[in-house]
Amino acid sequence: MNPIRIAKSWINYRRTVAELGGLSNHALNDIGITRYDIRNIASRSFR
C-alpha cells in the first residue's frame, strides 16, 4: 500500500469511529450494533 492510500484509509477509519461514536445507544441499537462493535466495523474501512 502506498502512503497516500494508507492516510486516506486512516482518515476513513477515524471518521467512521467518530460518526458511529456520536450516535446514541438507542440509535446504535436500531442499526444492530453496540459501542463495542464500532472499532471493528471501522477497521473494515482501514483495510
Side-chain angles (χ1 to χ4, degrees), residues 4-35:
I4 293 173
R5 189 169 181 181
I6 292 171
K8 286 181 180 180
S9 293
W10 178 251
I11 290 168
N12 285 336
Y13 170 81
R14 294 301 306 152
R15 184 180 299 136
T16 303
V17 169
E19 288 179 9
L20 290 175
L23 296 175
S24 68
N25 287 337
H26 182 74
L28 291 172
N29 190 33
D30 284 347
I31 60 174
I33 64 173
T34 65
R35 295 218 174 266

